[in-house]
Amino acid sequence: SFFWQVMAAPSGQLPEGKLNDALVSTFGSFEQFLEKFSLSGMGRFGSGWVWLESDAGRLTIVDTPNQDNPLMEGRVPILGLDVWEHAYYLKYQNLRADYIKAWWNVVNWKDVERRYGETT
């Protein structure tokens, strides 16, 4: 259910407050975060996920194979993207990059901000 909770109807919403500050501090800019996260999703060979994790407010991007997730390692995910082909094949065929680019339009930043706040 995590995957569905971090998505919402397109709203043009962007992260704000402490989460935005942490993204900029960690990755240099929000745009650089988007690029690094997207590249991680593109780099996951085969089925898997890409995650934004928070460890007491310190952000990291990781990718995991298959159904693995950060919780299995005792880490806290605050954003996750399913890059299994089944998540996008009907609409995007084998165009994972197009799927990832479109997915940014439906990220529920309010939920991600709430999750981040719970880790700081």
Side-chain angles (χ1 to χ4, degrees), residues 88-104:
Y88 59 88
Y89 192 79
L90 287 177
K91 185 167 183 172
Y92 296 97
Q93 302 294 307
N94 62 344
L95 302 174
R96 186 185 283 187
D98 291 349
Y99 159 69
I100 293 171
K101 183 177 179 182
W103 179 77
W104 289 115

Side-chain angles (χ1 to χ4, degrees), residues 22-44 49-53 58-64 79 81 83 96 100-101 103-104 109:
L23 289 168
V24 170
S25 174
T26 303
F27 301 105
S29 70
F30 178 67
E31 292 74 20
Q32 288 176 316
F33 157 70
L34 294 178
E35 181 179 352
K36 184 169 182 171
F37 190 98
S38 298
L39 287 172
S40 186
M42 289 299 299
R44 165 52 44 200
W49 292 78
V50 59
W51 306 94
L52 177 63
E53 302 175 339
R58 188 176 72 72
L59 299 175
T60 55
I61 295 171
V62 299
D63 63 272
T64 58
L79 178 65
L81 172 60
V83 293
R96 186 185 283 187
I100 293 171
K101 183 177 179 182
W103 179 77
W104 289 115
W109 289 110

Side-chain angles (χ1 to χ4, degrees), residues 107-118:
V107 170
N108 182 351
W109 289 110
K110 293 294 181 198
D111 188 72
V112 179
E113 289 169 6
R114 177 188 60 77
R115 292 172 189 278
Y116 179 71
E118 292 172 356

